[in-house]
Amino acid sequence: MSSNVCDAKTEADSFAASERNSIAPEPAAPSWAAVFSLALGVFGLLTAEYLPASLLTPMAADLGVSEALAGQAVTVTAVAAMLSGLLTAITTRGIDRRTVLLGFTVLLIVSNLLVAVATNIVVLLLMRILLGVALGGFWSMAAAVAMRLVPAALVPRAVAVIFSGIAVATVVAIPLGSYLGELAGWRSTFLAASVLGALTLVFQLLALPRMAPHGTARLGTLGEVLRRPGFGVGIAGMLLVHVGHYALFTYIRPALEDVVRVSAGALTLLLFAFGVANFVGTLAAGWLLEVNLRLTLALTPVLMGVAALGLALLPAGRVGYVLLVVLWGLAFGGVSVAWSNWATRMVPDQAESAGGLVVVGVQSAIAGGAAAGGVLFGMGGVTTVFTVSGLVLLAAALLIVARVEAPRHGVPRRGGWSSSARPRRAERCG
C-alpha cells in the first residue's frame, strides 16, 4: 500500500515538474512597448476585418458581383479565423513566438495589398482568408504572449491594453472606412490599411523580444485542455455570454430606431457613444481583473442583461435608454479581456491552446447569436430579442457564480506552484 502511495506521489511530482517546465518564465520587468505593439496589431487586424461592412456596395459594383456575394468577404474571414485560432498553437509550436506574430502582421499587409488590386471576387476572397488566418492566430496568442511580456500581477492590465485595439477598431473602422471610400475609393481604403500594417510591423520589429516556444501543443492538446477540471464549464459560460450579446448586437440598429426612436444622425452619434463606452470598459476591466476575476466574469453579463431588459421592458425615456446603451457598451468592453485572462489562468501551461479555444468559442457565438436573434426577431421583433437575450445573459451570470472557477494570480504560478495549487503529499515516503 505504501509503495502504491509513493508511486502515485512520484507520478504527481513528475507531472507537476513537467508542467512547470512547460510554462514560460515570468519577466522581471514589464515591456510596455511590446504590449502596445500588439494592441496596434489587433487594431489593424480588426479594422481590416470590419472594412467590407462599410465598403460593400462599391466593392460589389466594381467587381461585378452581387452585394450578397461580396459580403462573403466577411464570412470567409470569420471561418478562417476560427480554424487558425484552433490550430496556431499546434502548427507553430517549434517557432519563436516573435517570428509567428511578425508573420501574422505580414499576412495582414499582403492581404490588404492584394485585396486593393483584386480584379475578381475569387482573388478577393482568397486574400480575406489570409486575413482570417492572421486574425485568429494573433488573437489566440495575445493573452499567452502578454504573460511573457509583463510580471504576473500586470497580465490583466496588459491584456486589457492589447484588447483595447478591438474596441478602438469597433469605434473607428466602419465610419473611417466609409469616409475614405467616398473620398478616394474602396481600393485606396485597403491600401491605407496595408500602410497601417506596415507601420505596425516596424513597431513590432523594434519592440517585440525573442520568445522561445514553450509547451507541447498537439492536436490532442485541445481535447486535454477542454477536459481540465473547470475549463469546459467555463467555456460554456463564455458561450452563453457571447451568444446573448451578439443576438442583441445584430439588432442594435432596429432597437435604437424602434425603442429609443432616434433619427439617422442621432443613431450614428449613439453608436459612437456605444463604441467609446466599449473602449472605456475594456481598460476598466484590466483594473477590475486585478481586484477580482470572478467578479468581472459575472458582473459583465449582469450589466448587459439589465441593459437589455431595461431597453425591452422599461419606459425609461430618451435619456434613460441612452444610458442603458452606454451601460451595455461599457459592460461588453470587459468581456473579451476577462475571458482571455480566465483561460490563461486556468491553463497557464497551454495558454495558447486555451486562447485558441476562446477564439473558436467567440466566433461560434457570433454566428449562433446572430442566428438565434434572427429567429427571435421573426417571432416577436426587437422586444422579444432583447428580453430573451437579457434572460440568457443573467442565466450566464448565475452559471459563472455557481460553477466557474476563477484562479487567483499565480495559481498555478509560472515557474512554480503556490501553496494552494501544489500537489499534496499523501504521506511521507521512504
Side-chain angles (χ1 to χ4, degrees), residues 118-359:
T119 56
N120 58 66
I121 190 65
V122 174
V123 172
L124 186 142
L125 293 179
L126 289 174
M127 293 309 101
R128 295 293 293 181
I129 290 173
L130 281 187
L131 177 68
V133 171
L135 175 63
F138 203 100
W139 189 353
S140 70
M141 291 178 61
V145 170
M147 296 170 66
R148 306 181 63 173
L149 297 177
V150 300
L154 295 176
V155 168
R157 195 178 307 176
V159 175
V161 171
I162 293 170
F163 280 92
S164 69
I166 298 176
V168 176
T170 302
V171 175
V172 305
I174 292 179
L176 183 61
S178 179
Y179 174 75
L180 290 177
E182 289 295 324
L183 188 68
W186 71 271
R187 295 181 184 275
S188 296
T189 305
F190 278 98
L191 283 175
S194 68
V195 172
L196 174 62
L199 294 174
T200 300
L201 182 64
V202 172
F203 188 11
Q204 289 173 347
L205 281 167
L206 296 173
L208 286 175
R210 294 191 177 279
M211 292 172 280
H214 284 268
T216 56
R218 57 191 189 283
L219 197 58
T221 301
L222 297 168
E224 292 171 9
V225 169
L226 276 175
R227 290 193 297 272
R228 294 279 184 97
F231 194 83
V233 71
I235 290 293
M238 184 198 75
L239 283 171
L240 279 178
V241 173
H242 282 86
V243 166
H245 166 75
Y246 284 105
L248 296 172
F249 192 70
T250 304
Y251 295 92
I252 186 171
R253 178 162 184 162
L256 297 180
E257 291 173 339
D258 297 345
V259 177
V260 186
R261 299 190 182 281
V262 296
S263 63
L267 177 65
T268 302
L269 188 60
L270 191 50
L271 289 172
F272 179 75
F274 178 94
V276 171
N278 188 263
F279 173 72
V280 172
T282 300
L283 297 181
W287 168 81
L288 189 58
L289 283 164
E290 294 177 16
V291 177
N292 193 307
L293 173 58
R294 186 188 295 278
L295 174 63
T296 312
L297 291 173
L299 184 61
T300 49
V302 166
L303 294 179
M304 288 192 291
V306 168
L309 292 174
L311 285 165
L313 305 175
L314 295 180
R318 181 71 61 86
V319 173
Y321 288 135
V322 169
L323 292 176
L324 287 171
V325 170
V326 170
L327 176 65
W328 173 15
L330 188 71
F332 186 66
V335 170
S336 293
V337 179
W339 286 105
S340 293
N341 269 281
W342 170 84
T344 57
R345 291 196 205 179
M346 286 291 290
V347 195
D349 59 308
Q350 295 292 351
E352 291 182 10
S353 293
L357 289 169
V358 169
V359 171

Side-chain angles (χ1 to χ4, degrees), residues 371-385:
V375 172
L376 293 170
F377 189 78
M379 291 170 58
V382 167
T383 299
T384 301
V385 173

Side-chain angles (χ1 to χ4, degrees), residues 88-105:
T88 289
I90 300 165
T91 56
T92 66
R93 62 186 176 186
I95 306 174
D96 187 292
R97 309 333 272 163
R98 177 180 187 267
T99 302
V100 176
L101 291 168
L102 292 174
F104 287 140
T105 304

Side-chain angles (χ1 to χ4, degrees), residues 12-22 417:
D13 283 353
S14 176
F15 173 79
S18 66
E19 191 167 53
R20 286 196 299 270
N21 290 335
S22 68
W417 292 79

